[in-house]
Amino acid sequence: WTIPPHANGEFVARMEDVLDVYARPHDPAAPVVCRDEKPYQLLGHARDPIPAAPGHDRKEDSEYVRHGTCAIFVWVEPLAGRRRVVARARRTRVDWAHEVEHPLTVDYPDAERVLPVIDNLNTHTIGSLYEAFEPAKARALAQRLEIHHTPNTIVINIAEIELSALTRQCLDRRIDNLDLLNTELVAWQTATNTNQRHVNWHFTTSDARTRLRHLYPDH
């Protein structure tokens, strides 16, 4: 975690809210889904790599060609060991809204509500749904969302952990176009979901009040 030297009541309230959400038992009718996103630079080789050969490693030129940027969106349901990863050309309000629509209509169509744990980026609002969809649909989606915002400057979103693993396991090479990137992301997603890698979060609100007492306002 990146622990700030001091905090305030709003910070603590968001932290405890997320920790309490993580402590809930698995509920298919109200799944907890952690979401995050990151920019990604598409890079190509300036010269073709030299393939590996017996006694020789693969060689790549240090020069590269820029092919623009995109955004990688990830969601993970920690207690079910499920995640979904996709790359989009942009990370606008409309892009975020469509990434919210997908779990509501495809992954959890029968859930009464979905509980996204997300950071407080200005695109992560109910208003984004109204910019992407007509009002009736936006309202219907919004009524099934119970959003929990993480506090700033502290890594408490499980989706950030997934993005770190994804970066190490899948993005450790140059990928020069969006279609290829999505192919690689789907392969990683499929393999990881097949392994049913769950996330068991142990740090509780009680732990925070004991071990992170310096974050709480003085009385």
Side-chain angles (χ1 to χ4, degrees), residues 94-143:
V94 171
D95 291 297
W96 184 81
H98 281 286
E99 286 305 309
V100 169
E101 178 200 22
H102 190 279
L104 288 171
T105 59
V106 178
D107 301 301
Y108 308 104
D110 299 323
E112 295 176 9
R113 66 188 189 282
V114 174
L115 285 64
V117 174
I118 54 177
D119 63 28
N120 201 32
L121 198 65
N122 61 3
T123 58
H124 297 170
T125 67
I126 295 298
S128 295
L129 298 175
Y130 285 85
E131 295 190 23
F133 309 111
E134 51 88 18
K137 180 174 181 177
R139 184 57 181 163
L141 294 173
Q143 288 180 318

Side-chain angles (χ1 to χ4, degrees), residues 81 83 187-197:
R83 68 271 301 144
W188 180 86
Q189 169 189 305
T190 301
T192 308
N193 285 346
T194 299
N195 289 336
Q196 287 271 296
R197 190 181 72 207

